Amino acid sequence: MLIYNRRFDEYTPKFARKDGVQANPDAEETAIKDRIEQLEKFSDMTSSVKTQLGGVKGNPMKSVKEKLKKGEWTQAQAADYVYNLLVFSYMTGKYKYYPGDFVNELDAAFRQIDIKDIRKGITIARRDGTLDKAINYKDIWYFVYLPECNHYYSNAFRGYNTSSEILHSLQGQQAMFIHNKKLSKKERNAEDRWLTMPKSTPADNRRVTTINATIEGTDMNISRRIDSYGASKENAGPLLTSDNMLNAYLEYLNREGIVADPQMLRKEKAKDKAQRMERNADALREQTEIIRQETASYHGNEPKQFQGYEVLAGGIGVCPDSAAISFEINYTMDGIVKNAGRNLMLSIGKLIGEQAEIAPSQRKRLEGDDIYIAYPRDYIYEISVGLPSGYTPSETSLGRLNTELKNNAGHFISKAGIKDGKLVLNVSYEFAQTQLPASDWNKMLELVDAASKFNTMTLLLEKK
């Protein structure tokens, strides 16, 4: 049941301005129509955009317009830049964020750099059902679409999303464009404005873990890099400090000869700067502790020694050519390598991190209880271990590291070998679908069990 409080000082949609209990309204004639009308009748935001973006020292909007006109940048590059500039102005300025304002300001900003073939539209997050059944206008999201470069820009942002990245909760969802103003009234009414938002692939949302390790006695020195793409950035993004974000945007906004001195830095008073630096110092200490905890969680044990970490990739996800959030962590673990007589036993499976196990009480699935995953994903591990002098892997235990499982739910594939005196292990653990019928539950169990089993794998290093 949806209840609108008409006495509350807030916008009430037209279809909810009638008292009493009523049946769910027809979505297209009520919630959808209300949101479409708001987008179509929104006041021109050109003046607002000039205030926010035109006043940025260096006049980057002019530079982008010239690059687009001269063919130095594609429409996609120019649009991505303008989107990020607008996002950054909201993040660092004193502008109150309203979804409708943002979408219409983005529309106006695109027009200022002479991108004029623009469609605006609405959609709904997966958790809220489908657009054709919407009853709450607040569940409806806005977006901007550029047909020429096939880019969608969401009204929602968290700073670390690639500019034209569609949030996973909106992917594959019903959507609708506003009326095409280029058409006659008769043509507009006949136009099919319904569409389906694009879906991402597991590769789009991959998380790549690269490990370079060496063995000293029974200690393992590990350098672990994590590159998170697409929706996988949702786990990495909250680790970033505001200083990480600020530096990444400054690097991006001042690229290829463009000069952009964002308003926050231009107008910031000494007192405000001191407070910001103090907040960043606190955030950095918190970030360090979170990454230490992540390291312990990854291996299931605290590191023997934590040397430190670094945030890599200056773009940290804000632009397609630097789309990953990347960290590199350095530490020493004990317990992964153990003495086995004159030989060594390496718990190689621990290097892919702790894996989920399905308890016996949870292994049965009721008929009709379908499987839902937030987004398709691929966990990729590229592992290199320098072998200590005088030791070589047992061929039998090395062979057990080569596995391959493929089914409707995804795959688990591992390949191991020796190259240049190093153990090289590559693992791909993929969930291919966002929805599977309950009848495929066993396929999902096979995948999870394969990863869990690999997590226990050991490798015997024999003394020559």
Side-chain angles (χ1 to χ4, degrees):
M1 179 179 288
L2 180 66
I3 300 175
Y4 281 100
N5 183 355
R6 291 181 52 214
R7 276 70 182 173
F8 190 66
D9 186 19
E10 186 177 300
Y11 172 76
T12 303
K14 292 180 180 179
F15 67 87
R17 296 174 187 174
K18 180 181 177 182
D19 288 335
V21 178
Q22 303 154 52
N24 288 344
D26 177 86
E28 195 162 353
E29 289 301 316
T30 54
I32 291 175
K33 185 176 181 180
D34 185 273
R35 278 318 205 199
I36 291 288
E37 285 183 355
Q38 284 193 352
L39 276 181
E40 290 181 330
K41 295 179 179 180
F42 217 93
S43 57
D44 187 2
M45 303 297 288
T46 300
S47 177
S48 176
V49 169
K50 286 183 177 179
T51 299
Q52 284 185 245
L53 305 184
V56 176
K57 188 177 179 181
N59 202 351
M61 289 288 283
K62 179 181 179 182
S63 299
V64 172
K65 183 176 180 179
E66 289 176 351
K67 284 182 176 293
L68 181 61
K69 183 178 180 180
K70 293 177 181 178
E72 296 176 9
W73 277 12
T74 64
Q75 186 188 89
Q77 288 174 302
D80 287 345
Y81 185 95
V82 169
Y83 173 88
N84 284 323
L85 185 62
L86 183 60
V87 168
F88 194 63
S89 75
Y90 268 95
M91 290 171 59
T92 59
K94 303 184 185 301
Y95 311 106
K96 192 168 183 179
Y97 175 74
Y98 295 103
D101 286 357
F102 181 82
V103 166
N104 286 284
E105 285 183 334
L106 184 60
D107 175 272
F110 284 160
R111 295 181 191 282
Q112 283 188 27
I113 61 169
D114 288 339
I115 295 177
K116 297 178 180 177
D117 188 8
I118 302 168
R119 298 297 301 269
K120 290 183 287 186
I122 58 173
T123 187
I124 192 168
R126 194 179 304 119
R127 65 176 179 273
D128 296 317
T130 58
L131 189 61
D132 61 353
K133 296 292 191 298
I135 60 174
N136 188 351
Y137 79 101
K138 286 187 176 181
D139 291 339
I140 295 177
W141 297 55
Y142 298 127
F143 66 88
V144 176
Y145 174 62
L146 300 183
E148 181 179 316
C149 60
N150 194 30
H151 273 198
Y152 292 79
Y153 297 89
S154 172
N155 67 292
F157 56 81
R158 284 161 294 188
Y160 51 80
N161 290 106
T162 300
S163 44
S164 54
E165 192 173 274
I166 302 173
L167 298 181
H168 71 78
S169 59
L170 306 180
Q171 293 178 16
Q173 288 293 94
Q174 286 181 320
M176 176 181 271
F177 288 130
I178 65 173
H179 291 92
N180 189 343
K181 294 182 179 180
K182 295 180 180 179
L183 303 178
S184 66
K185 185 175 181 180
K186 183 177 180 181
E187 289 172 326
R188 287 186 204 173
N189 291 333
E191 183 187 16
D192 180 9
R193 295 180 288 124
W194 285 94
L195 69 148
T196 300
M197 299 294 281
K199 292 183 179 181
S200 62
T201 66
D204 294 327
N205 305 313
R206 68 195 182 278
R207 187 185 69 199
V208 182
T209 300
T210 305
I211 289 179
N212 286 293
T214 58
I215 298 172
E216 291 185 10
T218 56
D219 286 343
M220 175 171 278
N221 300 315
I222 297 175
S223 175
R224 178 165 57 96
R225 172 170 175 154
I226 306 101
D227 295 287
S228 299
Y229 296 82
S232 290
K233 288 186 287 191
E234 292 189 2
N235 294 320
L239 296 177
L240 299 169
T241 67
S242 57
D243 203 40
N244 293 147
M245 298 295 296
L246 174 64
N247 291 331
Y249 269 93
L250 288 176
E251 181 176 323
Y252 172 79
L253 295 175
N254 287 277
R255 57 181 4 209
E256 297 186 36
I258 294 181
V259 177
D261 182 8
Q263 296 170 2
M264 172 185 163
L265 302 183
R266 183 160 54 91
K267 296 181 178 180
E268 193 174 34
K269 297 178 181 178
K271 181 180 178 181
D272 293 336
K273 181 178 180 180
Q275 291 176 343
R276 177 170 64 84
M277 297 299 285
E278 185 177 345
R279 290 194 302 271
N280 285 339
D282 291 340
L284 188 60
R285 284 190 289 271
E286 183 180 353
Q287 183 186 65
T288 301
E289 184 56 32
I290 290 174
I291 291 178
R292 285 177 64 96
Q293 292 174 4
E294 185 276 342
T295 301
S297 176
Y298 184 86
H299 292 290
N301 292 294
E302 292 281 344
K304 180 178 181 179
Q305 186 178 1
F306 184 81
Q307 281 93 14
Y309 68 94
E310 183 180 0
V311 180
L312 304 170
I316 60 170
V318 302
C319 57
D321 56 7
S322 183
I325 296 177
S326 304
F327 289 85
E328 186 170 275
I329 312 169
N330 296 287
Y331 51 95
T332 300
M333 295 294 301
D334 56 3
I336 294 180
V337 181
K338 295 179 180 179
N339 287 314
R342 65 193 300 271
N343 302 320
L344 294 175
M345 187 63 73
L346 170 60
S347 296
I348 187 67
K350 292 292 185 183
L351 294 184
I352 69 167
E354 292 287 285
Q355 298 296 319
E357 293 185 28
I358 308 297
S361 61
Q362 297 177 318
R363 299 185 73 86
K364 291 185 179 180
R365 196 92 177 175
L366 296 176
E367 185 178 348
D369 188 8
D370 290 347
I371 306 157
Y372 294 90
I373 297 176
Y375 52 89
R377 65 198 73 180
D378 192 2
Y379 299 116
I380 298 171
Y381 303 88
E382 299 174 347
I383 299 169
S384 175
V385 180
L387 300 176
S389 178
Y391 289 86
T392 186
S394 157
E395 290 189 13
T396 301
S397 59
L398 184 63
R400 285 199 296 265
L401 299 180
N402 293 288
T403 63
E404 183 171 321
L405 170 66
K406 294 182 179 180
N407 60 35
N408 291 347
H411 69 237
F412 185 90
I413 301 171
S414 62
K415 296 180 180 180
I418 303 298
K419 183 178 180 180
D420 298 330
K422 294 181 179 181
L423 168 67
V424 177
L425 173 65
N426 294 291
V427 178
S428 176
Y429 182 20
E430 178 192 276
F431 292 95
Q433 310 292 337
T434 56
Q435 183 176 351
L436 288 166
S439 57
D440 275 346
W441 177 237
N442 285 337
K443 304 289 179 60
M444 183 63 73
L445 287 178
E446 287 177 357
L447 276 186
V448 175
D449 289 347
S452 177
K453 179 181 178 182
F454 193 88
N455 203 202
T456 66
M457 287 287 191
T458 59
L459 179 66
L460 180 65
L461 300 180
E462 297 177 322
K463 181 72 173 177
K464 293 180 181 178

